[in-house]
Amino acid sequence: MKIIKITIITLLALCAVSCDSYFDVELQDQATLEEMFSQKKMVRKLAAHMYAYLPKEENPVDANTEGGFSGRTDARQINASGYNNPVYNLRCSNYGPSTITNYTMWENYYKAIAHCTTVIENIHLDKEDSQVMRDYVMAEARFMRAFYYFCLFRTYGPVIVWGDKPAPMDVVAGNLDRNTLDDNINFIISELDKAIPYLPKQYEEVGMTKASDAGRATKGAALALKARVLLYAASPLYNGNKLYAGMTNHSGETLFPQSYDSQKWVVAKEACEDFFEEVGDLYSLVQAKKDTGDKWKNAFQAYQNIFFEQWNDETIWGWWMNFTTDWQGRSGGYVIAAGPRGINREGWQSLTPSFKLVDAYAMWETGRYPVKGYTKVSGMQDFSKPIIDEESGYVAEGFSMTTQYEAEWAGEFEAHNSTLGREPRYYACLVPNGYYWPCDPVGKTLAHPANKEKWDAEDMKCNFYRGSGSYCQYWDKDSQNNSFGFAWRRLYPANNPLDEAKDFQGIHYVYPAFRLAEMYFNYAECCIETGDYGTAVEYIDKIRERAGLVSLKVAYPGIESDPELVKWCFRHEKMIEFALEGPMHFYDNTRWMTAKENFNVLNWTLKMNNTPTDFYDSWTRTSTDFKLSGHAKFSDRDYLLPFDSGQLSEMTNLTQNYGF
């Protein structure tokens, strides 16, 4: 009960919020609640502290939070680290209640909920602010409380809902059990419905500014969260899922609805329409800052600006990325996690794409997706055996001469044909084997190797196949180097040397936890599930248009009369658009109940052994070069995370999740 029954002393103890702007506060006062809420300055701090518990979705190498969940998916490969790191163990389903005790999500979010409830109960004591501001803080607290309940829900399924009051101080832990799924959803939605009328469309409506308050709750954020919650509630995992038929709580209530309700998709669709009607005119898909006169380059820059342009018009709600806080800076650690060792001052290579993600990106000329699927081996997808769409224009074998956008200084070089002619998002995210790291070497210095005066163009080439040499030794059986053959560079701004600590500390991004592209996808999904395939295609095409691609109607004539093709293209496109961007892809596949089918894959890589080999041979797909023997595993038990043994020892009647 120490996790749920949070005392006032805990809430008001020393706490630091390591974010930017509005969130840079510390709570050090030990005053009474009445004293604290009577002070305008302290109310600001108490409100800001509600954001101290935000999920670490932006951290893809932290297995103890939702960010690491991307490592469980078919969109990501695990790095070559020669040890069983936590993300790898999670990927291999090598975990259970006794081994996930280091997960802090359960404790963190209930602390957050308790803090939000304290604000809701006491904001009336604030006499220094206007009624408009008091109403706003009340609504803000309801929004945040709803969000934290959703964070619990998406990971554990239905949880304990305390309602509008804090947990009773005299509650007996052994008597507690989970509320039903409907209880969870109804409470979250009721909180948002109470908050929405008092949340501003724009900060100026309540006397705030975007410059100082960006990231605080708005009407758009609440409407977007409401649509997402209802979308989840309509999805197969939560809507008539027979796998959980036997799950009842201590009171005998069935936790998960056992009858499919198609009306839930209608309700979710209406929530999306409410968003577009009430605040849709405030948001737009981010574009290139300046028209280059080239459609391909415009699309390339537009996609990069999702992160490169802070607090852009596509971001509905988000927060400053807080990957780490040492010499790497708050976002530089993300680039380190993805960058090649040797080119960067340091490169972990713990964030690399899978073949499925690399294969997913459309062809520029036709707009078609080049790979339709994979042959199965032992019941698992074999990424070395792609099923090619012959109409796409994709060439799976051979080499050709090419040049590289953002590395024009490199001139012509030989590249594998599978990397040619792809859409802009492919190159905005990937640096394939044989390409150049996109940083002009002229006039740059590099700390490793010491005293090197210039970044030589050949040294900049991502020749992952090399097994010898001091500078380009990207494969090493005992290090954290690239084992796959593709570097992930989505958050790397071209022509920025990564030599000194200051180079990393200058990289600072806003994580767009909710952005307009998701609302388009959410609406398209609801349209698919309610039979409106034409509108679904229209909204998918809004995202493809920003990527510079032809419409789905052109790429796949007659698609509107083929529901399965529409759904396949929708899921394919969403995987690309949100590539390794938080845990979106993981939660999509779990709520669709497609994770068991999609996430069981072998560790296929390019032929990257640790001895010198031939560049042409290095483009052979193989499963023998991956150092760790285990592979991705996902079974029925893995759709929801289990409650850990420590929690179960306190709450002895808490109903454990299926399979644990």
Side-chain angles (χ1 to χ4, degrees):
M1 281 308 299
K2 64 181 181 294
I3 291 175
I4 294 181
K5 192 165 60 179
I6 307 299
T7 67
I8 298 302
I9 296 296
T10 302
L11 285 174
L12 305 183
L14 173 63
C15 292
V17 184
S18 55
C19 297
D20 273 33
S21 185
Y22 173 71
F23 309 117
D24 279 331
V25 299
E26 290 185 352
L27 290 178
Q28 296 177 310
D29 298 76
Q30 293 294 323
T32 66
L33 282 173
E34 186 172 355
E35 290 172 334
M36 295 182 73
F37 277 95
S38 67
Q39 303 171 44
K40 179 178 179 179
K41 182 179 180 181
M42 187 55 65
V43 169
R44 180 188 185 281
K45 292 184 177 183
L46 288 164
H49 193 63
M50 293 189 295
Y51 297 83
Y53 309 91
L54 288 169
K56 297 293 190 295
E57 292 185 8
E58 69 272 24
N59 187 342
V61 300
D62 187 352
N64 300 325
T65 66
E66 298 93 334
F69 287 1
S70 66
R72 305 173 71 178
T73 73
D74 55 348
R76 182 176 164 192
Q77 178 60 291
I78 299 298
N79 68 311
S81 298
Y83 64 94
N84 294 344
N85 61 68
V87 175
Y88 183 77
N89 286 329
L90 197 65
R91 177 183 181 85
C92 297
S93 194
N94 184 23
Y95 68 94
S98 63
T99 60
I100 62 166
T101 53
N102 56 333
Y103 280 68
T104 59
M105 290 179 286
W106 176 269
E107 177 180 359
N108 179 65
Y109 296 138
Y110 273 114
K111 284 182 178 179
I113 288 165
H115 183 81
C116 294
T117 300
T118 299
V119 173
I120 291 169
E121 286 196 314
N122 294 280
I123 188 61
H124 68 280
L125 298 171
D126 176 11
K127 303 304 181 184
E128 295 185 357
D129 276 312
S130 66
Q131 186 61 48
V132 170
M133 179 53 68
R134 287 193 294 272
D135 288 343
Y136 170 73
V137 175
M138 170 79 82
E140 180 181 32
R142 291 195 182 280
F143 166 77
M144 293 304 299
R145 186 164 67 177
F147 177 68
Y148 289 128
Y149 268 117
F150 170 71
C151 289
L152 285 166
F153 173 81
R154 66 181 178 179
T155 300
Y156 298 102
V159 295
I160 299 169
V161 176
W162 294 113
D164 211 26
K165 296 291 183 181
M169 298 300 291
D170 60 350
V171 68
V172 178
N175 294 338
L176 291 174
D177 202 356
R178 304 157 71 176
N179 290 84
T180 67
L181 186 143
D182 286 341
D183 289 339
N184 278 245
I185 296 299
N186 291 340
F187 180 72
I188 293 172
I189 297 303
S190 69
E191 286 290 274
L192 295 172
D193 285 342
K194 291 175 184 176
I196 287 169
Y198 299 99
L199 291 173
K201 293 182 179 180
Q202 297 177 311
Y203 294 116
E204 288 74 14
E205 296 173 22
V206 291
M208 301 188 300
T209 65
K210 188 174 182 179
S212 60
D213 296 286
R216 294 187 73 173
T218 62
K219 192 182 296 291
L223 288 165
L225 175 58
K226 181 178 179 179
R228 187 192 285 186
V229 170
L230 291 171
L231 187 81
Y232 274 55
S235 299
L237 184 65
Y238 309 108
N239 190 2
N241 176 12
K242 300 302 181 184
L243 183 65
Y244 299 151
M247 291 186 63
T248 58
N249 63 19
H250 189 53
S251 301
E253 298 173 301
T254 300
L255 291 177
F256 291 80
Q258 289 303 293
S259 299
Y260 173 74
D261 184 358
S262 61
Q263 185 63 24
K264 291 184 177 180
W265 286 109
V266 176
V267 174
K269 183 179 180 182
E270 291 172 348
C272 293
E273 291 170 343
D274 287 343
F275 172 89
F276 295 132
E277 181 178 347
E278 293 197 39
V279 298
D281 61 331
L282 298 177
Y283 306 100
S284 59
L285 297 180
V286 66
Q287 302 294 335
K289 288 185 177 181
K290 184 178 180 181
D291 186 354
T292 66
D294 184 298
K295 182 179 180 181
W296 192 97
K297 290 182 178 179
N298 285 348
F300 180 96
Q301 293 179 20
Y303 188 65
Q304 287 194 322
N305 282 344
I306 292 170
F307 280 102
F308 291 178
E309 186 179 320
Q310 298 169 353
W311 300 115
N312 57 64
D313 288 340
E314 184 169 345
T315 302
I316 301 168
W317 185 54
W319 50 84
W320 287 102
M321 290 180 65
N322 192 25
F323 190 96
T324 186
T325 55
D326 60 11
W327 67 267
Q328 301 157 18
R330 290 178 177 171
S331 297
Y334 192 113
V335 178
I336 290 174
R341 184 174 291 263
I343 287 177
N344 294 349
R345 167 179 171 168
E346 184 174 345
W348 300 342
Q349 286 293 287
S350 55
L351 182 62
T352 50
S354 70
F355 273 135
K356 188 171 185 179
L357 179 56
V358 169
D359 291 341
Y361 293 92
M363 302 303 296
W364 175 245
E365 291 295 332
T366 66
R368 294 177 73 98
Y369 307 112
V371 174
K372 298 188 292 185
Y374 299 89
T375 301
K376 285 189 174 182
V377 174
S378 301
M380 292 178 290
Q381 298 177 84
D382 182 346
F383 288 167
S384 75
K385 297 179 174 61
I387 301 170
I388 307 301
D389 178 357
E390 300 298 337
E391 297 181 56
S392 68
Y394 177 78
V395 179
E397 303 293 341
F399 298 83
S400 300
M401 299 301 293
T402 190
T403 58
Q404 182 179 344
Y405 179 56
E406 289 196 314
E408 295 91 343
W409 46 267
E412 280 198 322
F413 58 93
E414 199 166 21
H416 195 262
N417 285 330
S418 67
T419 68
L420 304 179
R422 309 296 288 273
E423 58 158 298
R425 290 176 297 185
Y426 179 94
Y427 304 98
C429 292
L430 303 169
V431 181
N433 177 28
Y435 278 63
Y436 289 81
W437 187 252
C439 186
D440 187 343
V442 177
K444 310 298 182 183
T445 60
L446 186 68
H448 303 286
N451 302 319
K452 191 173 182 67
E453 294 182 358
K454 186 175 72 172
W455 287 12
D456 182 80
E458 191 61 27
D459 287 338
M460 293 298 296
K461 197 171 184 179
C462 286
N463 287 336
F464 299 113
Y465 71 91
R466 291 185 179 184
S468 62
S470 61
Y471 185 36
C472 284
Q473 192 171 345
Y474 298 112
W475 171 268
D476 183 333
K477 64 183 178 65
D478 297 318
S479 74
Q480 296 175 316
N481 296 334
N482 190 297
S483 65
F484 179 57
F486 288 84
W488 188 250
R489 57 80 39 123
R490 183 175 178 188
L491 267 66
Y492 171 74
N495 299 318
N496 281 262
L498 299 176
D499 184 7
E500 304 175 41
K502 64 179 179 62
D503 299 330
F504 294 95
Q505 291 167 353
I507 301 172
H508 209 182
Y509 300 122
V510 171
Y511 173 66
F514 290 80
R515 60 183 176 96
L516 184 61
E518 182 197 347
M519 291 303 303
Y520 287 160
F521 278 117
N522 289 350
Y523 191 58
E525 183 176 355
C526 291
C527 289
I528 291 170
E529 297 297 336
T530 54
D532 188 356
Y533 305 114
T535 303
V537 169
E538 176 187 341
Y539 274 78
I540 299 168
D541 275 343
K542 289 178 183 290
I543 287 92
R544 285 173 58 93
E545 181 180 4
R546 192 255 297 278
L549 295 171
V550 298
S551 72
L552 285 173
K553 297 176 186 178
V554 173
Y556 298 92
I559 186 175
E560 294 165 284
S561 60
D562 189 340
E564 289 305 311
L565 180 58
V566 174
K567 180 178 286 190
W568 183 84
C569 287
F570 158 76
R571 293 181 174 180
H572 208 80
E573 186 64 35
K574 192 174 185 185
M575 177 185 183
I576 296 168
E577 176 67 19
F578 288 93
L580 303 188
E581 185 179 324
M584 177 83 72
H585 186 62
F586 172 80
Y587 285 119
D588 278 346
N589 274 267
T590 53
R591 67 182 178 86
W592 295 332
M593 296 194 76
T594 55
K596 186 177 177 181
E597 169 71 15
N598 291 336
F599 292 174
N600 282 303
V601 296
L602 296 175
N603 289 318
W604 294 99
T605 70
L606 291 184
K607 192 175 182 181
M608 300 287 162
N609 58 41
N610 63 321
T611 58
T613 187
D614 181 80
F615 173 64
Y616 303 106
D617 286 344
S618 74
W619 272 94
T620 302
R621 298 189 178 195
T622 176
S623 66
T624 60
D625 281 358
F626 195 82
K627 287 186 291 189
L628 298 176
S629 59
H631 61 81
K633 298 176 184 177
F634 197 100
S635 64
D636 287 337
R637 75 166 196 164
D638 297 312
Y639 282 105
L640 295 171
L641 203 68
F643 300 109
D644 70 65
S645 55
Q647 192 64 47
L648 293 172
S649 67
E650 291 186 72
M651 304 171 64
T652 53
N653 279 314
L654 185 66
T655 301
Q656 179 62 286
N657 273 325
Y658 176 89
F660 296 97

